[in-house]
Amino acid sequence: MASSPRHVLSPKSEGAPWLGISLGCGCLLLLALFLVPPAIFLLADEVPPQPEEPEPLATTPTPPPQPPPTQPAAPPGVPPNAPPPAGADANSRTVNVSVTEVTGLSTVQVGTTCSFPVSRVTRPDGTFWCNAQIRCGAELLYGGGQAGYFDCTLYEQPQRHVFGEDRNTTRSDRDAAMRLDTLREELEVRDDATGRLGAFTVRARVTSVR
């Protein structure tokens, strides 16, 4: 019985696939040799991006220090510390007020009316200051004994205005703190816990000065 013919691959036909693969790899290698150096050169020339500086945080400007309270301006034509008008007492005047606010004191009520003298007292050096004995009802709020003195400015015309202030409470001197400004119709008396009446504040509106 005759045998079937065999297909025998020649050496040339067996190596053909490997030859194609080798040629493809060679082409890729050549392409890489031509493309990679220019790419590296371009990347080397690029400057890396700089980090952005953060924007400064908005800050609230610090307000300038406020000056201490100053003496109010007098009405036009009203000179301070002028001689009193004819018939008026050069050394004393009376201030009338109506209480508008009270804290820490039960013996004085809102609406209480008070009347107290303010006296001009000459100092040994020829200057002067004022003395006030501020009483509302049965309570002496400011003054008493050798206390009640404060630096002041006096006006005589058209009305006998008084401006003055004692900033120290009983802890620092012998009486309460007080501020009187008849130009603005204001009176305030306050003290700390070491005072005779304890800590309190009384505010009043000046109704007249004579």
Side-chain angles (χ1 to χ4, degrees):
M1 185 172 179
S3 59
S4 58
R6 293 182 178 180
H7 296 282
V8 180
L9 298 175
S10 64
K12 182 178 180 180
S13 62
E14 290 178 355
W18 294 106
L19 180 60
I21 294 172
S22 298
L23 290 174
C25 291
C27 291
L28 290 175
L29 180 61
L30 290 174
L31 183 62
L33 290 176
F34 280 103
L35 295 179
V36 170
I40 295 175
F41 178 76
L42 292 174
L43 291 174
D45 287 345
E46 289 185 359
V47 178
Q50 298 297 324
E52 295 182 358
E53 295 184 0
E55 294 183 0
L57 297 176
T59 57
T60 304
T62 303
Q66 298 297 318
T70 57
Q71 177 178 322
V78 181
N81 303 331
D89 186 348
N91 297 317
S92 182
R93 63 199 64 202
T94 300
V95 178
N96 299 293
V97 302
S98 177
V99 176
T100 57
E101 181 181 342
V102 181
T103 57
L105 195 61
S106 60
T107 53
V108 177
Q109 305 297 322
V110 173
T112 300
T113 57
C114 319
S115 180
F116 56 90
V118 176
S119 302
R120 171 176 171 151
V121 180
T122 303
R123 290 170 166 168
D125 61 1
T127 62
F128 72 92
W129 55 358
C130 290
N131 181 274
Q133 303 295 313
I134 301 177
R135 185 181 298 275
C136 283
E139 293 292 3
L140 180 65
L141 303 180
Y142 178 78
Q146 299 300 313
Y149 291 88
F150 61 98
D151 291 323
C152 63
T153 300
L154 303 177
Y155 302 89
E156 296 295 344
Q157 295 178 355
Q159 188 174 347
R160 308 190 71 196
H161 287 294
V162 182
F163 172 80
E165 184 173 16
D166 176 358
R167 299 185 180 183
N168 297 319
T169 58
T170 300
R171 193 184 304 276
S172 301
D173 61 12
R174 296 167 294 180
D175 54 13
M178 185 276 297
R179 183 176 186 276
L180 175 61
D181 182 355
T182 65
L183 289 163
R184 294 193 176 104
E185 300 181 348
E186 297 172 350
L187 169 68
E188 178 180 283
V189 184
R190 58 182 176 83
D191 206 353
D192 56 55
T194 65
R196 178 177 54 84
L197 299 176
F200 73 90
T201 299
V202 174
R203 295 186 177 91
R205 182 179 64 86
V206 177
T207 57
S208 67
V209 185
R210 65 176 190 274

